[in-house]
Amino acid sequence: MMRRIFFARVLVLIVLAVVPVASFGGERVALLIGNSAYARPEMALRNPENDVIALGRALRKLGFRVTEAINQNLDGMEAAVDEFRVTARDADMALFFYAGHGVQVGGDNHLIATDFDAPDIAGLSRASLTMSDVRRAFEQAAPDIGILMLDACRNNPFTDAGQAAQGLVRSKGGAGLLIAYATDPGNVAFDGSGRNSVFTEALLNHIETPGLDARLMLGRVRQQVVLDTNGQQVPWVEEAVLGEHFFAPAKSGADNPDVFAQELGLWRDIANSTDPGDFTAYLADYPDGLFRDFAKDRIALLQTAAHAPAGDATATQQLMAAADPEQVSAALTALGLLSPQRAQTRAVEAELLPALNGYRQQLADPASANVDQLFTDASRVSMFLAATTLQRIRTDIVALRGVDRTLGIATDALQQIEVIAASDTNALPILQSAKDDVAAIRLARANILRRLDHSRSYYDEVLTRAVAFVPKDASAALIGDADRSRDLSQSNRQLVEDANLFLKHISQADEAKKGSYAWLKDIIPQD
């Protein structure tokens, strides 16, 4: 065995030595393992080898030093990880990608090597690399950001025999580590009907997008997979990463940003601000904006709270003492009275008290304030923000699908015109026009994706926060009895339906699926 390990490591070193490296600033390394040809014929997979080759090609263009390990037995996989531990040391970005069979056993995920031949637990331990092994490699290498991607949730003999649960088990990302799974816990990922798996195809479609943070890029990947599979596969992410990290740098002289994308980005930045000036500036820039009424409400609420008398401090303290600080903090944040950066523990009760007092003083009868009323008011605001955002997401998904169809037709036409123009110069003006058309369609698609980046992640933030305080018996009727800046009883039917959908997502919230966009499958347009 030692002899096999030695030669495997020598082979990895040779591969590293010959891989061309593009100039991209700091060191960027990747280890891609794809197992298609298993010793057991019934376990053969079509696409992992293709996935590794295609992803390796894309990563090299992005300046990564790539090692491809295809159809590896356990010795080969371990040797590749050993070398990755060395090459990834102190790298700016280190990526580990595995495509093939994976299974959860004993609380750990096992990445199955090609020499697996005995469908029992003992056989698995002799022929699988554990996720813990890979995580230790990242911990020892300590790159600025470590990215671990597993496209490894296919059906396997352990699940079929009832020896293991389906899919992979959740594993939280450690500091500086981002873990992306092709599907959510306990589910199966599709190998794909084309040359790549559904997950890898989506990854290839977005990984080269200039100036897109890694987390936003994976958000687009999740969105595409959910849409392409009609909600049957939902990728998810665990991460504990600080700052922004880019696979592809932003282009100089980038295209003018879409107006709606700008508005959504600004709103997301200020949505939980405690400064009324931020909302005044928003209204100045977008007087008829999507969140116009909410901005007016926030200004009125924050100004009232700021000029409210000190009130009965004892009453506020009693109210705080009767509540869960985390729930109160989340509710006050939803109302715009507390910055989301504040810690949600009793350790910052001194910061919660002024915000809670501000909430009490803006009520018609501050003495009547109670925790249930606070949660109801925060639920009402969250419902409106969520329902409005869902409408924007649904509209943009419909637009995205239409643009994708148009882009496919235009690209096919362009290829045909290029063939004609190669032998007929009279077709050159038409060729240029076709190129301009395709470029315009691509720009429109990029704008839609930017809008979806903001609205998708903002909805997820509102949802995650609302889980803490929305009462179990809450209903969409709450949005019909607000009494501040607008007659919410005139809300249209779609708004009410989306408020109910938001409540459904809250009721289905599961810590095990946090990090996915499972709710997206409920708004997939039916063709």
Side-chain angles (χ1 to χ4, degrees):
M1 177 178 289
M2 292 301 296
R3 181 180 179 84
R4 286 158 57 195
I5 294 175
F6 170 75
F7 282 114
R9 290 177 175 172
V10 170
L11 178 59
V12 171
L13 287 172
I14 292 173
V15 171
L16 289 172
V18 299
V19 170
V21 181
S23 175
F24 199 98
E27 182 75 358
R28 294 150 67 88
V29 300
L31 169 59
L32 316 179
I33 300 177
N35 290 339
S36 292
Y38 284 86
R40 296 174 63 88
E42 70 273 18
M43 293 178 62
L45 295 170
R46 179 176 61 255
N47 283 332
E49 180 176 348
N50 298 334
D51 294 342
V52 163
I53 293 172
L55 183 57
R57 186 182 306 118
L59 289 173
R60 289 187 181 96
K61 288 170 61 179
L62 296 172
F64 278 77
R65 185 179 181 185
V66 179
T67 297
E68 295 174 3
I70 295 173
N71 294 326
Q72 295 293 308
N73 59 23
L74 181 57
D75 289 344
M77 292 174 68
E78 289 178 337
V81 171
D82 284 345
E83 296 302 333
F84 178 71
R85 182 182 292 107
V86 175
T87 58
R89 186 165 296 152
D90 298 325
D92 283 356
M93 182 179 287
L95 169 67
F96 174 91
F97 173 88
Y98 173 80
H101 283 292
V103 63
Q104 56 168 301
V105 175
D108 204 352
N109 294 318
H110 294 251
L111 313 181
I112 303 178
T114 57
D115 53 346
F116 171 76
D117 59 1
D120 53 40
I121 301 302
L124 180 69
S125 64
R126 293 193 303 269
S128 66
L129 183 72
T130 68
M131 188 168 169
S132 295
D133 295 331
V134 179
R135 289 177 65 110
R136 278 192 293 271
F138 275 106
E139 290 169 3
Q140 293 168 8
D144 286 351
I145 178 174
I147 301 174
L148 199 164
M149 296 183 180
L150 298 181
D151 194 357
C153 306
R154 277 71 167 192
N155 283 323
N156 60 75
F158 294 97
T159 300
D160 297 338
Q163 295 175 306
Q166 182 171 268
L168 298 181
V169 67
R170 179 180 183 181
S171 177
K172 286 185 175 292
L177 185 63
L178 184 155
I179 305 174
Y181 295 81
T183 193
D184 54 337
N187 284 332
V188 174
F190 296 106
D191 196 34
S193 57
R195 285 191 56 80
N196 298 110
S197 75
V198 175
F199 176 79
T200 299
E201 182 177 355
L203 183 61
L204 292 170
N205 284 344
H206 298 289
I207 198 168
E208 296 183 53
T209 304
L212 189 62
D213 176 68
R215 284 163 291 196
L216 281 179
M217 186 275 291
L218 286 168
R220 292 188 183 185
V221 170
R222 282 177 275 172
Q223 175 179 279
Q224 181 177 324
V225 172
V226 171
L227 296 179
D228 287 350
T229 64
N230 285 315
Q232 296 181 67
Q233 180 175 331
V234 182
W236 59 290
V237 171
E238 290 282 358
E239 58 97 0
V241 177
L242 299 176
E244 294 185 315
H245 302 269
F246 303 89
F247 279 92
K251 291 181 178 178
S252 58
D255 299 315
N256 291 328
D258 175 69
V259 173
F260 288 117
Q262 285 183 312
E263 181 194 348
L264 286 167
L266 174 59
W267 177 259
R268 190 178 170 208
D269 288 341
I270 70 168
N272 299 110
S273 172
T274 55
D275 181 357
D278 288 338
F279 298 101
T280 300
Y282 168 83
L283 290 172
D285 290 340
Y286 303 100
D288 297 312
L290 186 66
F291 300 101
R292 175 191 59 193
D293 291 334
F294 301 113
K296 291 179 179 178
D297 275 358
R298 288 286 169 82
I299 292 171
L301 177 62
L302 291 170
Q303 288 177 340
T304 300
H307 295 94
D312 187 346
T314 300
T316 301
Q317 290 174 338
Q318 290 174 341
L319 183 61
M320 185 73 245
D324 182 318
E326 183 174 349
Q327 290 181 295
V328 170
S329 179
L332 291 171
T333 301
L335 289 169
L337 294 169
L338 187 71
S339 168
Q341 279 70 45
R342 302 298 190 192
Q344 297 178 351
T345 67
R346 288 189 181 274
V348 293
E349 192 169 300
E351 294 176 338
L352 290 179
L353 286 172
L356 185 58
N357 189 64
Y359 166 73
R360 290 182 61 248
Q361 296 308 313
Q362 56 88 31
L363 297 176
D365 181 13
S368 68
N370 58 72
V371 173
D372 290 340
Q373 183 178 7
L374 168 65
F375 294 162
T376 296
D377 288 344
S379 298
R380 181 184 298 117
V381 169
S382 298
M383 281 186 198
F384 268 98
L385 291 173
T388 302
T389 307
L390 278 176
Q391 291 186 20
R392 167 56 62 187
I393 294 173
R394 185 180 291 106
T395 299
D396 282 334
I397 286 176
V398 172
L400 180 63
R401 283 189 161 180
V403 168
D404 281 342
R405 286 192 290 267
T406 302
L407 181 59
I409 295 171
T411 301
D412 289 343
L414 175 60
Q415 292 174 346
Q416 296 177 36
I417 295 171
E418 286 176 335
V419 172
I420 296 172
S423 57
D424 183 359
T425 57
N426 292 324
L428 291 177
I430 300 176
L431 175 61
Q432 184 57 53
S433 177
K435 288 181 177 180
D436 293 341
D437 289 343
V438 169
I441 297 170
R442 290 188 184 280
L443 176 58
R445 184 176 187 274
N447 287 335
I448 294 171
L449 287 172
R450 278 196 289 268
R451 291 202 299 267
L452 281 166
D453 287 341
H454 291 296
S455 53
R456 184 184 60 240
S457 53
Y458 179 57
Y459 179 81
D460 208 53
E461 289 175 8
V462 173
L463 174 63
T464 300
R465 183 168 53 242
V467 168
F469 58 78
V470 172
K472 292 185 181 300
D473 60 351
S475 74
L478 281 177
I479 63 176
D481 58 2
D483 57 4
R484 284 204 292 264
S485 69
R486 56 189 180 281
D487 183 3
L488 299 181
S489 64
Q490 302 303 313
S491 300
N492 59 55
R493 180 179 300 177
Q494 186 62 61
L495 191 69
V496 174
E497 289 177 357
D498 283 332
N500 278 319
L501 187 56
F502 175 61
L503 292 174
K504 173 188 172 184
H505 293 160
I506 290 175
S507 69
Q508 294 177 339
D510 183 351
E511 182 67 17
K513 293 186 177 181
K514 186 177 180 181
S516 74
Y517 292 134
W519 49 265
L520 260 176
K521 59 188 177 185
D522 290 329
I523 57 173
I524 297 175
Q526 299 302 312
D527 293 329

